[in-house]
Amino acid sequence: RLGLNALPDPQQRREILLEVGVDAARHLALRQERAGPLVEEIRQWALAQGGLRRSDFGKAVRYMLERWTGLTRFVVQPH
């Protein structure tokens, strides 16, 4: 099993993608195609958790939703 230290950092991942011929535009398209629907599914699930507003879990969900734009920026920005 790989630990977190074995994962390449973002710059290394970008270099790996460039080495295998995936340019920035294709990389963005792949993120939008693959991650976009998953991210939206998570958002819809989080929005449906409204009845838990006062619980610690509800607070965590609200915290996530309040920062949604930043959390999902990778889907819409090329770098």
Side-chain angles (χ1 to χ4, degrees), residues 49-62:
Q49 305 308 308
L52 303 172
R53 293 191 189 281
R54 292 197 172 111
S55 70
D56 288 341
F57 179 74
K59 290 176 186 176
V61 169
R62 188 170 56 253

